[in-house]
Amino acid sequence: MNPEATPARRTRRGSGAVTLHDVAKLAGVAPITASRALNTPAQVSAEVLKKVTDAVARTGYVRNGLAGGLASTRSRLVAAVVPTIAGPVFLQTVQALTEALAESGYQLMLGQSGYAESREDALLEAIIGRRPDGIVLTGIMHSAEGRKRLLAAGIPVVETWDLTPTPLDMLVGFSHVEVGRAVVDFLRNKGRSRLAVVAGDDERSRRRHQAFQDAARAAGLREVRLIYVPAPTTMKSGRRALAELLAVAPGIDAVFCSSDLLALGVMTEAQARGIAVPAQLAVVGFGDLEFAADLNPALSTVRIDSKAIGRQAARFIVDRAEGRQVDPRVIDIGFSIVDRDSA
């Protein structure tokens, strides 16, 4: 008999997670029959299999990948999902999260989802099935299926690097919309009026730069030129993007980039073309990576306290896993614009 058929799973950490009993009840079959349908489908009729799989789809149930004897204990394992480890922007968050969890006796399991919802869904299903003590996600925009599975699992979830009034559970991040608006004001105060954007084609970047365009339009500036490049972004894609921008809008006097790596590429291409930064072209990055202050000219950029995101996410997970009250559940860490020499 599958250990999941025991009713004790319903009380795991008091989470209210969807269990095999819930699936069986919705399907109108016994728990042991539902277990057979999921684990050895050849042993049940096609009619029963369809009832059980339909119930699984409706509830978002994910089978427990751990032995039943371990289901009632904490795994002391936390899973984090990031879009990519190829770029450095999330690395400080992951490092701070790892260190803060280790201080409380928890270990981090890291998954790379890419920028496609389908890949995140598949990764989340694998993670939920192993019943970690918490899940840390990058961003707030998840597929409907992913949200349903996360809510049904009853596992503490922290969304990061974004902000919304309706989080899945807990959240620590900042407003990408406010970033876009603030950078327009920053550039206008520098006397710039012919603005452009070079951005990765991920969802958070798009919202940030849509807000940038809207704020420029509201300020009466001419149309913002926008070039999207594949995420994760690179220095090379920054160089190519500036070349493309100059071909269609040679009069631009400022570029806002969705990453410091893109900004480095834009500055390198400008230098190769004899375009003086910032005299002829202001450049603003995003992330304030370690190299930003050491460039010549030093890069003006949006600073996010990514270590604080990791530490707070760890605090949320540990508090919930150990039965402590979490309040507030949403923390806006904000951002700042670092005014250096490139603008």
Side-chain angles (χ1 to χ4, degrees), residues 132-155:
D133 284 321
I135 300 174
V136 179
L137 302 175
T138 302
I140 59 172
M141 298 296 181
H142 316 291
S143 73
E145 184 65 23
R147 291 179 66 87
K148 181 170 69 174
R149 290 185 181 277
L150 286 164
L151 290 169
I155 298 171

Side-chain angles (χ1 to χ4, degrees), residues 31 35 37 54 61 76-77 117 122 174 210 214 218 230 252:
S35 178
D54 285 348
Y61 172 71
R76 307 201 76 82
L77 180 70
E117 285 186 348
F174 59 94
Q210 182 60 56
D214 292 343
I252 58 172

Side-chain angles (χ1 to χ4, degrees), residues 126-192:
I127 288 171
I128 292 169
R130 284 156 179 80
R131 291 300 192 270
D133 284 321
I135 300 174
V136 179
L137 302 175
T138 302
I140 59 172
M141 298 296 181
H142 316 291
S143 73
E145 184 65 23
R147 291 179 66 87
K148 181 170 69 174
R149 290 185 181 277
L150 286 164
L151 290 169
I155 298 171
V157 174
V158 182
E159 295 166 289
T160 65
W161 280 86
D162 215 332
L163 208 60
T164 177
T166 56
L168 278 166
D169 186 2
M170 299 168 286
L171 184 150
V172 52
F174 59 94
S175 170
H176 291 273
V177 171
E178 292 303 320
V179 169
R181 293 170 180 167
V183 175
V184 169
D185 290 342
F186 174 75
L187 290 172
R188 287 182 64 208
N189 289 336
K190 295 286 186 177
R192 310 292 173 160

Side-chain angles (χ1 to χ4, degrees), residues 246-330:
L246 294 175
V248 296
I252 58 172
D253 62 7
V255 181
F256 178 32
C257 302
S258 70
S259 73
D260 286 351
L261 278 175
L262 276 179
L264 175 58
V266 167
M267 290 172 63
T268 301
E269 184 66 20
Q271 183 181 39
R273 292 170 176 260
I275 299 172
V277 176
Q280 295 172 268
L281 183 69
V283 180
V284 178
F286 178 86
D288 195 24
L289 300 181
E290 289 186 0
F291 66 77
D294 296 322
L295 297 179
N296 187 22
L299 178 63
S300 297
T301 185
V302 178
R303 174 181 291 163
I304 307 298
D305 192 343
S306 54
K307 290 183 178 179
I309 292 177
R311 288 192 295 267
Q312 182 59 55
R315 193 172 303 122
F316 274 152
I317 293 293
V318 173
D319 283 349
R320 281 283 297 279
E322 300 187 357
R324 291 190 288 270
Q325 183 68 29
V326 171
D327 185 32
R329 294 186 301 113
V330 176

Side-chain angles (χ1 to χ4, degrees), residues 39-107:
N39 293 292
T40 54
Q43 294 184 10
V44 301
S45 68
E47 180 183 0
V48 167
L49 181 60
K50 185 177 187 307
K51 287 181 179 179
V52 173
T53 54
D54 285 348
V56 168
R58 288 172 61 185
T59 60
Y61 172 71
V62 177
R63 281 175 285 175
N64 192 342
L66 296 175
L70 298 178
S72 62
T73 63
R74 293 205 302 268
S75 65
R76 307 201 76 82
L77 180 70
V78 174
V81 177
V82 297
T84 178
I85 57 174
V89 69
F90 301 115
L91 293 184
Q92 287 189 336
T93 294
V94 171
Q95 181 179 351
L97 178 63
T98 302
E99 292 172 353
L101 287 172
E103 290 173 1
S104 297
Y106 291 78
Q107 300 299 319

